[in-house]
Amino acid sequence: MGIAADIVIIVLSGLFAGLITQKIKQPLIVGYILAGIVIGPYAGRITVSQVHDLELLAEIGVALLLFSLGLEFSLNKLKSVRNVALIGTPIQIVLTMSYGSLIGQWLGWPWIPSVWFGALISLSSTMVILKTLMNQGWLGTLSSRVMIGILIVQDLAVVPLMVILPQLTYLKAGLPQMGAAMLKAVLFLLLMIFGGTRILPRLMKIVAGWNSRELFLLAITAIGLGVGYLTYLSGLSFALGAFMAGAVLSESDVSHQALSEIIPLRDLFGLLFFVTAGMLLDPTFLLAHLRVLVILVLLVSVGKGLMLAGLTRLFGYANVVPLAVGLGLFQVGEFSFVLAKVGAETSSISNELYSLILATAIVTMILTPSVSGLTAPLYALRKRWFKREPLQTINIPSSGLRDHVVIAGGGRVGQHVAQVLKRLGLAFVVIEADYRRVEQARAEGLPVIYGDASQESVLDAAEIGSARLLLITIPAITVTLSMVRQIHRRCPSLDVVVRAEGIEQMKMLHECGVYEVVQPEFEAGLEITRQALLHLKVPATGIQSYTDALRRDLYAPLYQAHYDYETITQIQKAADLLELTWVKLQPGSLLEKKAIQDLKIRSRIGASVVGVVRQGALYSNPAPDYCFAEGDLVAVIGRPEECAAFQALAASKSAESYGQGDGSR
């Protein structure tokens, strides 16, 4: 079968290795590369015959990877961390390249491979970091936003590096060749900016209008690969053209659909690329150079981590952020494989150096979850050993804080709650570690403390001991658990309301003694469902039964494990069984000119009259002798069927006998 058989072997081995790495909670990329080592030519037995042809096919994987990167690129993602991302990251890349070059020179490598090594280790892994942040519950924190901003710019940097680095090999022939390549790249960029932005989005809009998914997928694939091929014919990188095609389409109306369609194709060809990349690794060579590999891993991890932490601190981020960034982005990333493949193909780096670089990347990727997990304990030690940083407080009342609400997290949810409390005149304070949000709170006149809500000194500043309620709106489960444990140790009677993502987080919080847990995505979906059922005229009782059943399914694990939780939940939901309904009395209503006590509303129907609005004036809890009049807006409370019975009574115009009342409402 030739190359077809090779592809089958690659897909099956990639699947098997992917299942294993997923089971042991490692990045899939690591599994793909290990699969490539096993079926590659250095494993002792060649199981894949057409290695060169597969490498050519793998170029499509690189092109699609950069095409999707262009589609995902948006400056809006960098707004909140634009300084450290757009200015700090290029500085980090240059410093890391210099650092890597020094390491290469120290190990006796020629200067060109040393520069390549520095460039390769300057990039971190977006895939590994995103997975690590999600598993640790840090996604959404300030630290994660800084890391993602840096990663976006690092990923973008691979494009100019792919253009510039191969030209270093031809410096002996002078700079004209490099200058010509740079000129071609600039002309191509101008052509795409002024021509591509006008043609490609319009073309895709026309294709999308035909409502053919197959044709849409074919069109975006043809654009990504076609533009890449044109750049290849002009003497530039195939991947550069694919990236620019994606970047042009990213600003169009079809960008999200294009990305969702191309991702499965990208992942499939990406598998092909990473497996073929692993085929070039020689396990025998790595074992013979194990000492060098260990030295490289240590030097890269420590040096790169310190540079990233220092730059983050230099750009004004304090507390846990520099530590989290340094321990999170120290690894070598997947785009380094792309760049290393270019270096190997242009003979800029040897196969031995290629093997060392890829091995360094794999080891640092595997270490990332464990090293990143040290952030919280190391930060706690730092706080214990070193002098605490002075806390900045804004708009705190001169009389101090007493009987107040503490809101941990000044994001959209926290600020919304704060605005409501402010309008109601209730005392509160917001704790926020993102200085941009602190400035927003200052502008709104909200009392705020700048600091990490999981730290004791910050909780002391918020006068947590005299608070009446703690609201934790921070999405990071690690921060939430740290706060909950401290609160239960210091103020066990304080009521705490937290947010969680999924049943696992809810179970962890319950084990810490928290019963008030809100799951935003679940509640939003439930409310949308409720609104839809109301519009579809489904009876209110049926809607209540349905939503109760959904909640019981969600919280079933807790119900089964803890009877008390079910009891508390049922008590909390008891109020949901009552409904407040407003009914306007139309001309000729049976209730007109009759007193509440004569109608015996509560004893006969079950609902209670709790208010009447007449000519703009509100009469709350009207007396039994209150007589209804035409145009009254009557508020009744009761179960849905009781409120429905009152509505039917108010709409009735036929005579009925009520007898003498006893004051029932």
Side-chain angles (χ1 to χ4, degrees), residues 486-564:
Q486 289 193 42
I487 294 303
H488 281 192
R489 185 174 65 252
R490 299 174 54 179
C491 312
S493 61
L494 180 64
D495 292 328
V496 182
V497 180
V498 305
R499 64 182 289 179
E501 305 294 337
I503 189 68
E504 290 301 322
Q505 290 188 10
M506 189 180 68
K507 288 171 67 177
M508 284 190 290
L509 291 165
H510 172 72
E511 290 170 359
C512 291
V514 179
Y515 291 95
E516 294 287 349
V517 180
V518 179
Q519 298 197 56
E521 292 184 1
F522 172 77
E523 295 298 336
L526 205 59
E527 178 61 20
I528 291 174
T529 303
R530 192 182 73 84
Q531 293 288 347
L533 295 178
L534 285 173
H535 282 283
L536 294 172
K537 308 299 182 185
V538 176
T541 52
I543 297 175
Q544 186 66 41
S545 299
Y546 178 73
T547 54
D548 282 348
L550 283 178
R551 282 198 172 93
R552 286 191 64 83
D553 288 342
L554 176 68
Y555 299 114
L558 295 183
Y559 291 152
Q560 295 167 4
H562 304 279
Y563 174 77
D564 290 343

Side-chain angles (χ1 to χ4, degrees), residues 396-449:
I396 302 295
S398 56
S399 58
L401 297 166
R402 291 291 182 276
D403 202 28
H404 57 292
V405 178
V406 177
I407 305 172
R412 286 176 294 181
V413 177
Q415 288 202 19
H416 177 73
V417 175
Q419 292 291 354
V420 172
L421 295 178
K422 182 181 179 181
R423 291 174 186 173
L424 295 175
L426 298 174
F428 68 92
V429 65
V430 179
I431 301 174
E432 178 54 55
D434 185 340
Y435 200 75
R436 179 178 56 87
R437 288 177 175 170
V438 171
E439 289 298 312
Q440 291 176 352
R442 182 204 298 269
E444 296 289 337
L446 305 177
V448 61
I449 297 172

Side-chain angles (χ1 to χ4, degrees), residues 81 129 133 138 141-152 321 324-329 372:
V81 292
I129 285 298
L133 290 173
W138 285 90
T141 63
L142 176 60
S143 301
S144 71
R145 290 198 299 275
V146 172
M147 282 190 268
I148 290 171
I150 292 173
L151 286 168
I152 290 173
V321 178
V325 172
L327 294 178
L329 300 184
S372 180

Side-chain angles (χ1 to χ4, degrees), residues 77-378:
K77 296 180 181 179
L78 301 176
K79 279 186 178 179
S80 61
V81 292
R82 58 183 178 274
N83 289 336
V84 69
L86 296 176
I87 301 174
T89 306
I91 296 174
Q92 173 262 317
I93 291 174
V94 172
L95 290 176
T96 310
M97 287 180 67
S98 303
Y99 175 66
S101 299
L102 291 176
I103 293 175
Q105 294 288 297
W106 176 64
L107 291 173
W109 300 341
W111 76 271
I112 292 181
S114 298
V115 173
W116 272 86
F117 177 74
L120 292 167
I121 67 171
S122 68
L123 307 176
S124 304
S125 175
T126 303
M127 296 180 185
V128 173
I129 285 298
L130 287 177
K131 182 177 177 62
T132 301
L133 290 173
M134 285 189 287
N135 290 342
Q136 295 178 346
W138 285 90
L139 203 60
T141 63
L142 176 60
S143 301
S144 71
R145 290 198 299 275
V146 172
M147 282 190 268
I148 290 171
I150 292 173
L151 286 168
I152 290 173
V153 178
Q154 282 185 352
D155 289 348
L156 295 175
V158 75
V159 178
L161 289 175
M162 291 176 70
V163 175
I164 297 172
L165 289 178
Q167 306 304 322
L168 296 178
T169 309
Y170 307 107
L171 282 180
K172 293 179 181 178
L175 294 176
Q177 192 166 353
M178 178 181 283
M182 294 300 296
L183 181 61
K184 284 182 182 179
V186 171
L187 291 175
F188 171 70
L189 292 176
L190 293 175
L191 179 63
M192 290 298 293
I193 292 172
F194 293 103
T197 52
R198 289 168 173 78
I199 298 173
L200 296 183
R202 292 181 183 178
L203 176 61
M204 287 308 306
K205 192 172 183 180
I206 293 172
V207 174
W210 291 337
N211 293 322
S212 172
R213 185 174 180 180
E214 294 84 356
L215 193 58
F216 186 85
L217 175 60
L218 182 61
I220 58 175
T221 307
I223 288 175
L225 299 181
V227 174
Y229 186 61
L230 288 176
T231 58
Y232 170 75
L233 293 178
S234 64
L236 294 172
S237 166
F238 182 40
L240 172 63
F243 170 79
M244 285 306 302
V248 168
L249 288 177
S250 68
E251 300 301 324
S252 68
D253 297 333
V254 299
S255 60
H256 295 291
Q257 180 64 22
L259 182 61
S260 64
E261 294 289 348
I262 205 68
I263 281 177
L265 197 63
R266 176 202 70 183
D267 292 343
L268 183 59
F269 277 94
L271 161 68
L272 190 64
F273 168 75
F274 288 114
V275 172
T276 55
M279 290 179 186
L280 297 179
L281 278 170
D282 185 354
T284 307
F285 172 81
L286 292 178
L287 289 174
H289 294 78
L290 187 59
R291 178 174 170 273
V292 176
L293 177 61
V294 172
I295 292 173
L296 287 178
V297 170
L298 289 174
L299 290 176
V300 169
S301 301
V302 175
K304 186 178 176 182
L306 288 174
M307 272 186 272
L308 283 161
L311 278 170
T312 305
R313 186 67 185 91
L314 189 64
F315 276 83
Y317 294 94
N319 297 323
V320 75
V321 178
L323 185 62
V325 172
L327 294 178
L329 300 184
F330 71 91
Q331 79 287 129
V332 181
E334 60 273 359
F335 276 108
S336 298
F337 300 143
V338 176
L339 200 56
K341 201 78 178 291
V342 174
E345 290 171 353
T346 58
S347 300
S348 299
I349 58 176
S350 63
N351 286 337
E352 290 78 10
L353 180 55
Y354 177 88
S355 296
L356 281 174
I357 291 169
L358 263 63
T360 303
I362 292 171
V363 173
T364 53
M365 282 182 175
I366 293 173
L367 291 175
T368 297
S370 301
V371 174
S372 180
L374 296 174
T375 301
L378 287 178

Side-chain angles (χ1 to χ4, degrees), residues 560-581:
Q560 295 167 4
H562 304 279
Y563 174 77
D564 290 343
Y565 188 84
E566 181 176 11
T567 303
I568 292 172
T569 306
Q570 289 174 342
I571 293 172
Q572 292 171 345
K573 292 178 180 177
D576 295 338
L577 298 176
L578 298 177
E579 185 176 281
L580 178 66
T581 302

